[in-house]
Amino acid sequence: MSIDFQKLRLLGIYQQKNPEDLMVRVKIPGGLLSAVQAREIAAISDNYGRGVLHLTSRGSFEFHYLRVEQLDAVLARLNNVGLTTKGACGGAVRGISCSTTFAPGYGRVQYLAERLNQHFAGNPSFERLPKKFKISVEATYQGGRHLIQDLGIVLTAAGQEPLYDIWCAGGLGREPQPGFLLEENVPEPHVLKLIEAVVQVYRDNTPPPKRLKHLLNSIGEAEFRRLLALELNQRPRPSLPEVDLARLEDDVEFIEIPFFGGQLPAAKLSELADLAERFSAGRLATTTNQNIALPITDHSYGDTLRLELAAKNFAAQETFAARLRTCPGSHECKMGLAATRELGMLLKETLSPTAKEQSWAISGCPNSCSQPQLSAYGIVTVKQQKTEDGTRIPLFDLYQRSSEKLGQPIKQNLTKDKLLAAVRDLE
């Protein structure tokens, strides 16, 4: 039977380096999931995915090494606990990522992100787009993630009537481009209408497989705003759905548990689900630094939870792992040009103690899925070079971010040895 893997992308399914192996990406609404959902994700990984999960830089889970004949069972099991893969890949509004600074206002933005996700997930009106469409909701400007989204939504005023700045047409990949400020201090009831209008302008005016940033560069900001105003004038204001999960308080404390390179053993996720039921009102958060965080909903539980985590060998204080993001690279991804996790281990051995305190990201290809331009230091695998003996070796660009803008390359086309020599001198 012939399978159209291009169509499967809309269901969050990609072929891996070995074409018989499949990756399945699961959307986590606003980065918050229940202990029941976490336990089922772990069980699916044990049953079908070699017992290891990958945490993405947008707060999603990925199963690797699945086979076609397993897909129906996997998707059904996810659906039974209220999770979906639809729109996690392909030309659709992707999963809505959420602030993971856990700053004041986090509860407000997480709840908005979850409601937006429920509105867009599986909604045929926002599928079959020219390419992916990414949205994030942030509690603060810290981290700069609003710059790299098709739409970046940043809380500017909390309270009974929250307000948001809306940033537009950012993106990374082979042509990084920061978003521009589209609207300031937008009331929450107007956010959804603005999002829908931008998506419609994108759909109507962009040839596939181009992103929104390419439309902006093609027609200019003034023409984009004109088209958007026309769309807004004829579009009724939709209402955000309510969701069942109670909103976290805005000042809730989180304990973040790092996982090196975003690799999460299923057994560890099950253990964290058990702890979440005991100490965190049955909830866990995924972070865009590829870690898991547990909310402390009752402050009297905090010390006990930390002791339990230490007893179970969760490295809550492992700074470098907490600050390192990597994509799967050539370990699993067919686009990968370098073994990212191996390079991450070499960095851990090479960097000075001061450099380890900085944020790092490694991308196994120019697509920049690990967001290296938002870290203090980023590494992008730009190509492979053929050596005299016929083997191919990866070449890397080293990025540095020293302002609120996107990071820029400071050294380019480095072999692995030259890259390690360059980072060894960093303070």
Side-chain angles (χ1 to χ4, degrees), residues 3 10 24 28 34 49 52 63 74 159 175 192 200 241 268 298-299 315 341 357 381 411 425:
I3 297 172
L10 196 59
V24 176
I28 305 300
S34 70
V52 178
F63 301 102
V74 169
E175 299 174 351
L192 182 57
Q200 193 62 49
K268 289 294 185 183
D298 183 332
H299 291 290
R341 291 192 290 268
E357 294 292 324
T381 315
K411 292 182 182 293
D425 297 332

Side-chain angles (χ1 to χ4, degrees), residues 37-265:
Q37 290 171 327
R39 204 172 281 116
E40 183 64 359
I41 288 172
I44 292 170
S45 178
D46 274 333
N47 292 156
Y48 306 110
R50 300 187 183 179
V52 178
L53 295 147
H54 178 72
L55 290 161
T56 78
S57 58
R58 293 184 62 80
S60 300
F61 286 100
E62 288 179 357
F63 301 102
H64 290 271
Y65 303 107
L66 274 63
R67 296 301 176 99
V68 168
E69 60 271 18
Q70 299 170 337
L71 292 178
D72 286 346
V74 169
L75 298 181
R77 288 178 63 168
L78 290 169
N79 183 66
N80 286 341
V81 292
L83 293 172
T84 183
T85 66
K86 195 168 185 185
C89 303
V93 174
R94 296 287 182 89
I96 314 296
S97 69
C98 188
S99 168
T100 52
T101 59
F102 304 126
Y106 168 78
R108 178 81 249 175
V109 299
Q110 194 284 325
Y111 187 60
L112 174 60
E114 190 168 358
R115 295 160 77 198
L116 288 173
N117 189 83
Q118 186 156 319
H119 178 76
F120 287 108
N123 188 330
S125 297
F126 303 99
E127 297 174 351
R128 310 294 178 187
L129 302 179
K131 203 171 174 119
K132 57 192 172 187
F133 194 97
K134 294 184 176 182
I135 302 173
S136 76
V137 187
E138 308 293 331
T140 71
Y141 276 103
Q142 181 182 341
R145 285 190 170 86
H146 63 286
L147 293 173
I148 64 170
Q149 315 295 331
D150 294 283
L151 282 175
I153 303 167
V154 184
L155 181 69
T156 56
Q160 291 296 109
E161 297 182 357
L163 302 175
Y164 299 88
D165 286 352
I166 311 294
W167 292 72
C168 186
L172 294 179
R174 296 174 184 272
E175 299 174 351
Q177 176 174 306
F180 71 95
L181 183 58
L182 179 65
E183 296 287 347
E184 293 183 274
N185 297 320
V186 178
E188 190 168 276
H190 295 274
V191 169
L192 182 57
K193 181 178 179 180
L194 184 57
I195 295 173
E196 288 194 349
V198 171
V199 174
Q200 193 62 49
V201 170
Y202 169 56
R203 181 205 297 274
D204 291 346
N205 297 278
T206 311
K210 298 295 186 180
R211 294 281 301 275
L212 179 61
K213 63 182 181 180
H214 296 290
L215 172 64
L216 185 77
N217 293 336
S218 174
I219 66 175
E221 184 179 334
E223 176 63 7
F224 177 80
R225 288 184 178 276
R226 187 188 73 82
L227 294 173
L228 182 60
L230 290 174
E231 182 63 34
L232 285 167
N233 285 337
Q234 63 187 14
R235 178 174 289 273
R237 192 174 84 188
S239 59
L240 282 165
E242 297 300 323
V243 295
D244 294 334
L245 191 61
R247 181 164 69 88
L248 289 172
E249 297 298 322
D250 284 339
D251 61 349
V252 67
E253 181 185 359
F254 282 82
I255 297 177
E256 188 169 356
I257 302 97
F259 291 93
F260 193 88
Q263 271 200 310
L264 172 56

Side-chain angles (χ1 to χ4, degrees), residues 317-355:
Q317 304 304 317
E318 221 284 46
T319 305
F320 183 64
R323 293 175 176 269
L324 173 70
R325 296 190 302 272
T326 75
C327 66
S330 60
H331 301 285
E332 288 102 9
C333 181
K334 66 180 182 179
M335 300 296 293
L337 303 174
T340 50
R341 291 192 290 268
E342 290 178 11
L343 183 56
M345 292 301 296
L346 290 173
L347 285 182
K348 185 177 180 180
E349 297 168 2
T350 302
L351 295 176
S352 70
T354 304

